[in-house]
Amino acid sequence: MKTPASLFRFLLLGCLALLLAGCASAGKEFNVLGVRQIQPHQTNRAQIEALFGPPWRTGIEDGKQTWSYGYYKYGLGDTLSRDLTIRFDATGTVTSYTFTSSYPEDKGL
C-alpha cells in the first residue's frame, strides 16, 4: 500500500509529465520557401533533396514513389503543422505535390 507521500510524488510526476507532453514537436523542419520552386514534370528527386534534404518518410501512392516532409509542433491548446508530400514518376521526376500548413506565416505560399 502506498503512503500519502509516495502517492503525492506519483501524482506530481504524472502532472509534470502531462505538462511536458503538452509542449512537444515531431517530424523535421524543412525550408517551406522551397515549395515555390517545385515544378511538376520538371523538378527531379536530386533537386528536391537539395531543396529540402532527405525525406522524413517515404512511401508509395497509386504506384508512385512518394517523399514526405512534415513538422508538427504541439503546445498547450495549440497545434501547428506543416506537411509536404511529393510524388515521383518512374524516372524520378515530380508528377505532383501537396503542401498544407496551419502556420499563419505560410498563408499564400
Side-chain angles (χ1 to χ4, degrees), residues 76-105:
L76 296 174
D78 194 21
T79 300
L80 295 172
S81 65
R82 286 183 172 126
D83 286 292
L84 173 62
T85 302
I86 304 166
R87 295 159 204 86
F88 299 96
D89 65 17
T91 67
T93 302
V94 173
T95 58
S96 65
Y97 69 94
T98 305
F99 174 72
T100 58
S101 175
S102 62
Y103 281 79
E105 62 266 30

PDB file of all heavy atoms in Angstrom, residues 76-105:
ATOM      1  N   LEU A  76       0.263  23.795 -25.533  1.00  0.00           N
ATOM      2  CA  LEU A  76      -0.922  23.749 -24.684  1.00  0.00           C
ATOM      3  C   LEU A  76      -2.083  24.422 -25.400  1.00  0.00           C
ATOM      4  O   LEU A  76      -2.139  25.630 -25.526  1.00  0.00           O
ATOM      5  CB  LEU A  76      -0.643  24.435 -23.345  1.00  0.00           C
ATOM      6  CG  LEU A  76       0.429  23.767 -22.494  1.00  0.00           C
ATOM      7  CD1 LEU A  76       0.737  24.607 -21.265  1.00  0.00           C
ATOM      8  CD2 LEU A  76      -0.022  22.375 -22.088  1.00  0.00           C
ATOM      9  N   GLY A  77      -2.984  23.637 -25.910  1.00  0.00           N
ATOM     10  CA  GLY A  77      -4.165  24.149 -26.594  1.00  0.00           C
ATOM     11  C   GLY A  77      -3.937  24.593 -28.031  1.00  0.00           C
ATOM     12  O   GLY A  77      -4.855  25.056 -28.676  1.00  0.00           O
ATOM     13  N   ASP A  78      -2.720  24.471 -28.554  1.00  0.00           N
ATOM     14  CA  ASP A  78      -2.448  24.936 -29.912  1.00  0.00           C
ATOM     15  C   ASP A  78      -1.518  23.938 -30.601  1.00  0.00           C
ATOM     16  O   ASP A  78      -0.520  23.525 -30.035  1.00  0.00           O
ATOM     17  CB  ASP A  78      -1.791  26.312 -29.863  1.00  0.00           C
ATOM     18  CG  ASP A  78      -1.771  27.011 -31.202  1.00  0.00           C
ATOM     19  OD1 ASP A  78      -2.581  26.648 -32.077  1.00  0.00           O
ATOM     20  OD2 ASP A  78      -0.949  27.919 -31.386  1.00  0.00           O
ATOM     21  N   THR A  79      -1.862  23.563 -31.814  1.00  0.00           N
ATOM     22  CA  THR A  79      -1.019  22.674 -32.608  1.00  0.00           C
ATOM     23  C   THR A  79      -0.761  23.319 -33.952  1.00  0.00           C
ATOM     24  O   THR A  79      -1.688  23.796 -34.603  1.00  0.00           O
ATOM     25  CB  THR A  79      -1.698  21.303 -32.810  1.00  0.00           C
ATOM     26  OG1 THR A  79      -1.924  20.708 -31.536  1.00  0.00           O
ATOM     27  CG2 THR A  79      -0.834  20.386 -33.651  1.00  0.00           C
ATOM     28  N   LEU A  80       0.496  23.362 -34.353  1.00  0.00           N
ATOM     29  CA  LEU A  80       0.866  23.886 -35.662  1.00  0.00           C
ATOM     30  C   LEU A  80       1.482  22.753 -36.467  1.00  0.00           C
ATOM     31  O   LEU A  80       2.194  21.910 -35.923  1.00  0.00           O
ATOM     32  CB  LEU A  80       1.876  25.025 -35.516  1.00  0.00           C
ATOM     33  CG  LEU A  80       1.354  26.277 -34.817  1.00  0.00           C
ATOM     34  CD1 LEU A  80       2.485  27.254 -34.555  1.00  0.00           C
ATOM     35  CD2 LEU A  80       0.267  26.940 -35.651  1.00  0.00           C
ATOM     36  N   SER A  81       1.200  22.724 -37.761  1.00  0.00           N
ATOM     37  CA  SER A  81       1.726  21.635 -38.583  1.00  0.00           C
ATOM     38  C   SER A  81       2.037  22.113 -39.991  1.00  0.00           C
ATOM     39  O   SER A  81       1.417  23.053 -40.497  1.00  0.00           O
ATOM     40  CB  SER A  81       0.730  20.479 -38.644  1.00  0.00           C
ATOM     41  OG  SER A  81      -0.444  20.882 -39.309  1.00  0.00           O
ATOM     42  N   ARG A  82       3.031  21.427 -40.570  1.00  0.00           N
ATOM     43  CA  ARG A  82       3.387  21.625 -41.980  1.00  0.00           C
ATOM     44  C   ARG A  82       3.578  20.245 -42.592  1.00  0.00           C
ATOM     45  O   ARG A  82       4.259  19.406 -42.016  1.00  0.00           O
ATOM     46  CB  ARG A  82       4.709  22.384 -42.115  1.00  0.00           C
ATOM     47  CG  ARG A  82       4.636  23.825 -41.811  1.00  0.00           C
ATOM     48  CD  ARG A  82       5.989  24.490 -42.045  1.00  0.00           C
ATOM     49  NE  ARG A  82       5.859  25.922 -41.924  1.00  0.00           N
ATOM     50  CZ  ARG A  82       6.600  26.671 -41.114  1.00  0.00           C
ATOM     51  NH1 ARG A  82       7.536  26.121 -40.378  1.00  0.00           N
ATOM     52  NH2 ARG A  82       6.416  27.965 -41.054  1.00  0.00           N
ATOM     53  N   ASP A  83       3.004  20.028 -43.761  1.00  0.00           N
ATOM     54  CA  ASP A  83       3.145  18.759 -44.471  1.00  0.00           C
ATOM     55  C   ASP A  83       3.425  19.023 -45.938  1.00  0.00           C
ATOM     56  O   ASP A  83       2.749  19.841 -46.570  1.00  0.00           O
ATOM     57  CB  ASP A  83       1.857  17.934 -44.384  1.00  0.00           C
ATOM     58  CG  ASP A  83       1.656  17.314 -43.026  1.00  0.00           C
ATOM     59  OD1 ASP A  83       2.439  16.429 -42.674  1.00  0.00           O
ATOM     60  OD2 ASP A  83       0.714  17.723 -42.324  1.00  0.00           O
ATOM     61  N   LEU A  84       4.409  18.305 -46.459  1.00  0.00           N
ATOM     62  CA  LEU A  84       4.723  18.354 -47.887  1.00  0.00           C
ATOM     63  C   LEU A  84       4.853  16.920 -48.369  1.00  0.00           C
ATOM     64  O   LEU A  84       5.644  16.153 -47.829  1.00  0.00           O
ATOM     65  CB  LEU A  84       6.028  19.112 -48.137  1.00  0.00           C
ATOM     66  CG  LEU A  84       6.588  19.106 -49.556  1.00  0.00           C
ATOM     67  CD1 LEU A  84       5.613  19.773 -50.528  1.00  0.00           C
ATOM     68  CD2 LEU A  84       7.953  19.780 -49.600  1.00  0.00           C
ATOM     69  N   THR A  85       4.058  16.546 -49.351  1.00  0.00           N
ATOM     70  CA  THR A  85       4.138  15.220 -49.957  1.00  0.00           C
ATOM     71  C   THR A  85       4.421  15.403 -51.438  1.00  0.00           C
ATOM     72  O   THR A  85       3.720  16.150 -52.124  1.00  0.00           O
ATOM     73  CB  THR A  85       2.828  14.426 -49.764  1.00  0.00           C
ATOM     74  OG1 THR A  85       2.566  14.312 -48.361  1.00  0.00           O
ATOM     75  CG2 THR A  85       2.926  13.038 -50.374  1.00  0.00           C
ATOM     76  N   ILE A  86       5.447  14.721 -51.908  1.00  0.00           N
ATOM     77  CA  ILE A  86       5.876  14.835 -53.307  1.00  0.00           C
ATOM     78  C   ILE A  86       5.791  13.466 -53.957  1.00  0.00           C
ATOM     79  O   ILE A  86       6.272  12.479 -53.398  1.00  0.00           O
ATOM     80  CB  ILE A  86       7.320  15.372 -53.384  1.00  0.00           C
ATOM     81  CG1 ILE A  86       7.406  16.715 -52.642  1.00  0.00           C
ATOM     82  CG2 ILE A  86       7.760  15.515 -54.830  1.00  0.00           C
ATOM     83  CD1 ILE A  86       8.805  17.174 -52.368  1.00  0.00           C
ATOM     84  N   ARG A  87       5.178  13.398 -55.147  1.00  0.00           N
ATOM     85  CA  ARG A  87       5.030  12.146 -55.892  1.00  0.00           C
ATOM     86  C   ARG A  87       5.944  12.189 -57.110  1.00  0.00           C
ATOM     87  O   ARG A  87       5.979  13.196 -57.816  1.00  0.00           O
ATOM     88  CB  ARG A  87       3.580  11.974 -56.313  1.00  0.00           C
ATOM     89  CG  ARG A  87       2.642  11.799 -55.138  1.00  0.00           C
ATOM     90  CD  ARG A  87       1.181  12.153 -55.512  1.00  0.00           C
ATOM     91  NE  ARG A  87       0.435  12.513 -54.330  1.00  0.00           N
ATOM     92  CZ  ARG A  87       0.397  13.737 -53.800  1.00  0.00           C
ATOM     93  NH1 ARG A  87       1.032  14.730 -54.373  1.00  0.00           N
ATOM     94  NH2 ARG A  87      -0.300  13.981 -52.711  1.00  0.00           N
ATOM     95  N   PHE A  88       6.647  11.065 -57.335  1.00  0.00           N
ATOM     96  CA  PHE A  88       7.600  10.972 -58.450  1.00  0.00           C
ATOM     97  C   PHE A  88       7.149   9.918 -59.453  1.00  0.00           C
ATOM     98  O   PHE A  88       6.552   8.905 -59.073  1.00  0.00           O
ATOM     99  CB  PHE A  88       8.987  10.567 -57.936  1.00  0.00           C
ATOM    100  CG  PHE A  88       9.595  11.544 -56.972  1.00  0.00           C
ATOM    101  CD1 PHE A  88       9.481  11.355 -55.606  1.00  0.00           C
ATOM    102  CD2 PHE A  88      10.302  12.644 -57.427  1.00  0.00           C
ATOM    103  CE1 PHE A  88      10.056  12.246 -54.709  1.00  0.00           C
ATOM    104  CE2 PHE A  88      10.884  13.539 -56.550  1.00  0.00           C
ATOM    105  CZ  PHE A  88      10.757  13.340 -55.179  1.00  0.00           C
ATOM    106  N   ASP A  89       7.487  10.126 -60.723  1.00  0.00           N
ATOM    107  CA  ASP A  89       7.250   9.083 -61.726  1.00  0.00           C
ATOM    108  C   ASP A  89       8.423   8.106 -61.719  1.00  0.00           C
ATOM    109  O   ASP A  89       9.356   8.234 -60.910  1.00  0.00           O
ATOM    110  CB  ASP A  89       6.994   9.684 -63.116  1.00  0.00           C
ATOM    111  CG  ASP A  89       8.195  10.427 -63.695  1.00  0.00           C
ATOM    112  OD1 ASP A  89       9.335  10.241 -63.217  1.00  0.00           O
ATOM    113  OD2 ASP A  89       7.993  11.191 -64.656  1.00  0.00           O
ATOM    114  N   ALA A  90       8.409   7.151 -62.626  1.00  0.00           N
ATOM    115  CA  ALA A  90       9.439   6.102 -62.665  1.00  0.00           C
ATOM    116  C   ALA A  90      10.830   6.656 -62.967  1.00  0.00           C
ATOM    117  O   ALA A  90      11.837   6.034 -62.616  1.00  0.00           O
ATOM    118  CB  ALA A  90       9.057   5.042 -63.697  1.00  0.00           C
ATOM    119  N   THR A  91      10.907   7.831 -63.601  1.00  0.00           N
ATOM    120  CA  THR A  91      12.213   8.418 -63.912  1.00  0.00           C
ATOM    121  C   THR A  91      12.737   9.306 -62.787  1.00  0.00           C
ATOM    122  O   THR A  91      13.825   9.858 -62.891  1.00  0.00           O
ATOM    123  CB  THR A  91      12.154   9.252 -65.207  1.00  0.00           C
ATOM    124  OG1 THR A  91      11.329  10.404 -64.986  1.00  0.00           O
ATOM    125  CG2 THR A  91      11.625   8.428 -66.371  1.00  0.00           C
ATOM    126  N   GLY A  92      11.947   9.481 -61.726  1.00  0.00           N
ATOM    127  CA  GLY A  92      12.381  10.325 -60.610  1.00  0.00           C
ATOM    128  C   GLY A  92      12.026  11.784 -60.769  1.00  0.00           C
ATOM    129  O   GLY A  92      12.576  12.641 -60.079  1.00  0.00           O
ATOM    130  N   THR A  93      11.079  12.075 -61.648  1.00  0.00           N
ATOM    131  CA  THR A  93      10.621  13.449 -61.865  1.00  0.00           C
ATOM    132  C   THR A  93       9.320  13.660 -61.095  1.00  0.00           C
ATOM    133  O   THR A  93       8.468  12.775 -61.039  1.00  0.00           O
ATOM    134  CB  THR A  93      10.391  13.714 -63.365  1.00  0.00           C
ATOM    135  OG1 THR A  93      11.623  13.459 -64.054  1.00  0.00           O
ATOM    136  CG2 THR A  93       9.959  15.140 -63.628  1.00  0.00           C
ATOM    137  N   VAL A  94       9.160  14.841 -60.521  1.00  0.00           N
ATOM    138  CA  VAL A  94       7.947  15.166 -59.756  1.00  0.00           C
ATOM    139  C   VAL A  94       6.732  15.121 -60.676  1.00  0.00           C
ATOM    140  O   VAL A  94       6.729  15.756 -61.740  1.00  0.00           O
ATOM    141  CB  VAL A  94       8.065  16.563 -59.111  1.00  0.00           C
ATOM    142  CG1 VAL A  94       6.752  16.976 -58.454  1.00  0.00           C
ATOM    143  CG2 VAL A  94       9.212  16.610 -58.110  1.00  0.00           C
ATOM    144  N   THR A  95       5.717  14.366 -60.271  1.00  0.00           N
ATOM    145  CA  THR A  95       4.450  14.386 -61.019  1.00  0.00           C
ATOM    146  C   THR A  95       3.457  15.327 -60.353  1.00  0.00           C
ATOM    147  O   THR A  95       2.689  15.996 -61.037  1.00  0.00           O
ATOM    148  CB  THR A  95       3.825  12.987 -61.122  1.00  0.00           C
ATOM    149  OG1 THR A  95       3.600  12.478 -59.814  1.00  0.00           O
ATOM    150  CG2 THR A  95       4.722  12.044 -61.896  1.00  0.00           C
ATOM    151  N   SER A  96       3.473  15.395 -59.024  1.00  0.00           N
ATOM    152  CA  SER A  96       2.591  16.304 -58.292  1.00  0.00           C
ATOM    153  C   SER A  96       3.097  16.423 -56.860  1.00  0.00           C
ATOM    154  O   SER A  96       3.936  15.634 -56.415  1.00  0.00           O
ATOM    155  CB  SER A  96       1.149  15.799 -58.308  1.00  0.00           C
ATOM    156  OG  SER A  96       1.051  14.577 -57.612  1.00  0.00           O
ATOM    157  N   TYR A  97       2.567  17.419 -56.163  1.00  0.00           N
ATOM    158  CA  TYR A  97       2.922  17.584 -54.759  1.00  0.00           C
ATOM    159  C   TYR A  97       1.753  18.243 -54.031  1.00  0.00           C
ATOM    160  O   TYR A  97       0.891  18.870 -54.650  1.00  0.00           O
ATOM    161  CB  TYR A  97       4.211  18.392 -54.589  1.00  0.00           C
ATOM    162  CG  TYR A  97       4.093  19.850 -54.966  1.00  0.00           C
ATOM    163  CD1 TYR A  97       3.807  20.820 -54.021  1.00  0.00           C
ATOM    164  CD2 TYR A  97       4.265  20.260 -56.286  1.00  0.00           C
ATOM    165  CE1 TYR A  97       3.701  22.153 -54.366  1.00  0.00           C
ATOM    166  CE2 TYR A  97       4.165  21.588 -56.637  1.00  0.00           C
ATOM    167  CZ  TYR A  97       3.884  22.534 -55.669  1.00  0.00           C
ATOM    168  OH  TYR A  97       3.768  23.844 -56.030  1.00  0.00           O
ATOM    169  N   THR A  98       1.747  18.101 -52.717  1.00  0.00           N
ATOM    170  CA  THR A  98       0.747  18.717 -51.858  1.00  0.00           C
ATOM    171  C   THR A  98       1.464  19.357 -50.688  1.00  0.00           C
ATOM    172  O   THR A  98       2.299  18.713 -50.048  1.00  0.00           O
ATOM    173  CB  THR A  98      -0.246  17.664 -51.315  1.00  0.00           C
ATOM    174  OG1 THR A  98      -0.811  16.956 -52.407  1.00  0.00           O
ATOM    175  CG2 THR A  98      -1.345  18.306 -50.501  1.00  0.00           C
ATOM    176  N   PHE A  99       1.154  20.611 -50.411  1.00  0.00           N
ATOM    177  CA  PHE A  99       1.691  21.309 -49.248  1.00  0.00           C
ATOM    178  C   PHE A  99       0.527  21.846 -48.437  1.00  0.00           C
ATOM    179  O   PHE A  99      -0.353  22.517 -48.983  1.00  0.00           O
ATOM    180  CB  PHE A  99       2.610  22.463 -49.669  1.00  0.00           C
ATOM    181  CG  PHE A  99       3.068  23.301 -48.508  1.00  0.00           C
ATOM    182  CD1 PHE A  99       3.990  22.807 -47.595  1.00  0.00           C
ATOM    183  CD2 PHE A  99       2.581  24.584 -48.315  1.00  0.00           C
ATOM    184  CE1 PHE A  99       4.410  23.566 -46.516  1.00  0.00           C
ATOM    185  CE2 PHE A  99       3.001  25.357 -47.243  1.00  0.00           C
ATOM    186  CZ  PHE A  99       3.914  24.843 -46.344  1.00  0.00           C
ATOM    187  N   THR A 100       0.492  21.550 -47.150  1.00  0.00           N
ATOM    188  CA  THR A 100      -0.521  22.092 -46.250  1.00  0.00           C
ATOM    189  C   THR A 100       0.172  22.607 -44.998  1.00  0.00           C
ATOM    190  O   THR A 100       1.206  22.079 -44.587  1.00  0.00           O
ATOM    191  CB  THR A 100      -1.581  21.041 -45.860  1.00  0.00           C
ATOM    192  OG1 THR A 100      -0.933  19.929 -45.237  1.00  0.00           O
ATOM    193  CG2 THR A 100      -2.371  20.565 -47.069  1.00  0.00           C
ATOM    194  N   SER A 101      -0.411  23.652 -44.412  1.00  0.00           N
ATOM    195  CA  SER A 101       0.188  24.252 -43.230  1.00  0.00           C
ATOM    196  C   SER A 101      -0.873  24.960 -42.402  1.00  0.00           C
ATOM    197  O   SER A 101      -1.823  25.521 -42.949  1.00  0.00           O
ATOM    198  CB  SER A 101       1.257  25.269 -43.639  1.00  0.00           C
ATOM    199  OG  SER A 101       1.768  25.941 -42.511  1.00  0.00           O
ATOM    200  N   SER A 102      -0.680  24.946 -41.098  1.00  0.00           N
ATOM    201  CA  SER A 102      -1.527  25.745 -40.215  1.00  0.00           C
ATOM    202  C   SER A 102      -0.744  26.920 -39.624  1.00  0.00           C
ATOM    203  O   SER A 102      -1.261  27.637 -38.785  1.00  0.00           O
ATOM    204  CB  SER A 102      -2.108  24.871 -39.094  1.00  0.00           C
ATOM    205  OG  SER A 102      -1.069  24.339 -38.283  1.00  0.00           O
ATOM    206  N   TYR A 103       0.496  27.125 -40.074  1.00  0.00           N
ATOM    207  CA  TYR A 103       1.287  28.268 -39.632  1.00  0.00           C
ATOM    208  C   TYR A 103       0.763  29.524 -40.326  1.00  0.00           C
ATOM    209  O   TYR A 103       0.663  29.557 -41.564  1.00  0.00           O
ATOM    210  CB  TYR A 103       2.765  28.077 -39.992  1.00  0.00           C
ATOM    211  CG  TYR A 103       3.519  27.176 -39.060  1.00  0.00           C
ATOM    212  CD1 TYR A 103       3.415  25.783 -39.152  1.00  0.00           C
ATOM    213  CD2 TYR A 103       4.364  27.707 -38.084  1.00  0.00           C
ATOM    214  CE1 TYR A 103       4.130  24.955 -38.302  1.00  0.00           C
ATOM    215  CE2 TYR A 103       5.079  26.879 -37.233  1.00  0.00           C
ATOM    216  CZ  TYR A 103       4.955  25.503 -37.343  1.00  0.00           C
ATOM    217  OH  TYR A 103       5.640  24.690 -36.504  1.00  0.00           O
ATOM    218  N   PRO A 104       0.437  30.578 -39.594  1.00  0.00           N
ATOM    219  CA  PRO A 104      -0.088  31.801 -40.212  1.00  0.00           C
ATOM    220  C   PRO A 104       0.860  32.392 -41.262  1.00  0.00           C
ATOM    221  O   PRO A 104       0.409  32.902 -42.285  1.00  0.00           O
ATOM    222  CB  PRO A 104      -0.265  32.772 -39.034  1.00  0.00           C
ATOM    223  CG  PRO A 104      -0.330  31.907 -37.828  1.00  0.00           C
ATOM    224  CD  PRO A 104       0.469  30.688 -38.127  1.00  0.00           C
ATOM    225  N   GLU A 105       2.158  32.306 -41.035  1.00  0.00           N
ATOM    226  CA  GLU A 105       3.109  32.903 -41.971  1.00  0.00           C
ATOM    227  C   GLU A 105       3.199  32.154 -43.299  1.00  0.00           C
ATOM    228  O   GLU A 105       3.797  32.649 -44.255  1.00  0.00           O
ATOM    229  CB  GLU A 105       4.510  33.026 -41.338  1.00  0.00           C
ATOM    230  CG  GLU A 105       5.141  31.713 -40.943  1.00  0.00           C
ATOM    231  CD  GLU A 105       4.898  31.308 -39.491  1.00  0.00           C
ATOM    232  OE1 GLU A 105       3.850  31.669 -38.917  1.00  0.00           O
ATOM    233  OE2 GLU A 105       5.749  30.614 -38.940  1.00  0.00           O
TER     234      GLU A 105
END
